[in-house]
Amino acid sequence: MLKGKVAIVTGSTSGIGLGIARVLAGQGADIVLNGFGDAGEIEAIRSDLERAHGVRAVHDGADMSKGDAVRGLVAATVEKLGRIDILVNNAGIQFTAPVEEFSAAKWDAILAINLSAAFHGIAASVPPMKKQGWGRIINIASAHGLVGSVHKAAYVAAKHGLVGLTKVVGLETAGTGITANAVCPGWVLTPLVEKQIADIAARKKISRRDATMELLGEKQPSQTFVTPEQLGGTVAFLCSPAADQITGTSIAVDGAWTAQ
Ligand code: NAD
């Protein structure tokens, strides 16, 4: 159980991050939500976490594309909640285009949010985690951290980078009570993937249902979406004593995508 621990989950106003925040709160951790969205909806998520689980929950809207803001999120957490025990680097965006047409601005944004934000968050969190002799760094990478796909140059580069960063941080923190791991999900039905399904449906002039089957059929042998709750369960496992010696590695949760 995680009572008394404080967890930051970046990009947790939606999708996978929200699923992870709910599972960690369910285990008793105080939660720092982060991400964009409608202020009323975010407040409803925040107050619901407190009511349902009896934990403290705050929202910090720090922009993960800016290194100083990421470091500020960690500093504000320590100031407001007294500590930082679990850092889940989850915020991420997607954009698809052939490499020769790939917008340089999109490349920069994806690298900043999907990779550099994790570097800044980790750099700010390791000192307080070392001091307390316990910490969990969990980077939400992707099957695309392990294998490539067409039209995802920036995303695949960033996610492979995140898996590499995880190895280095695992090595540098080994024996300190801190572990650093990457979780590599396959397809999860969130707004990020809904957009890709809509793009397939529009491009091929097929129904949303057929586009969904095509998306799953192309990559994910289980033909079933991973859920945010299952990923929350993976993160909770990595925070448990059973995972004390799991560090510097990646766990694929991908319906056998990367077994191919
Ligand atoms: P999502 O679009 O549902 O949620 C993304 C979250 O990140 C939102 O809360 C959003 O507000 C936040 N965010 C975006 N830009 C931000 C910024 N600059 N600063 C702060 N917050 C920002 O996406 P998701 O599918 O839940 O993806 C979450 C993570 O999981 C991403 O890193 C993504 O690459 C990864 N992932 C997703 C899938 C999938 O199939 N959905 C598969 C593998 C990996």
Side-chain angles (χ1 to χ4, degrees), residues 131-248:
K131 230 181 262 173
Q132 67 207 19
W134 196 92
R136 292 289 178 268
I137 294 163
I138 296 156
N139 298 320
I140 306 304
S142 168
H144 285 119
L146 304 171
V147 296
S149 286
V150 296
H151 301 167
K152 294 187 174 173
Y155 189 85
V156 170
K159 295 297 189 180
H160 274 68
L162 196 51
V163 169
L165 174 64
T166 304
K167 292 178 182 174
V168 173
V169 177
L171 282 168
E172 290 186 4
T173 57
T176 65
I178 301 171
T179 67
N181 292 290
V183 175
C184 297
W187 293 125
V188 187
L189 193 56
T190 67
L192 184 139
V193 166
E194 294 275 12
K195 185 177 176 307
Q196 293 176 66
I197 291 171
D199 288 348
I200 293 172
R203 198 173 61 246
K204 302 206 164 169
K205 297 189 176 33
I206 55 178
S207 69
R208 188 189 167 284
R209 194 175 173 284
D210 288 348
T212 303
M213 294 321 293
E214 192 166 317
L215 178 110
L216 283 172
E218 186 197 354
K219 300 282 187 188
Q220 196 146 305
S222 67
Q223 305 278 315
T224 307
F225 286 107
V226 179
T227 67
E229 294 69 29
Q230 288 165 344
L231 294 166
T234 308
V235 169
F237 165 67
L238 287 171
C239 293
S240 75
D244 277 357
Q245 290 304 318
I246 300 178
T247 191

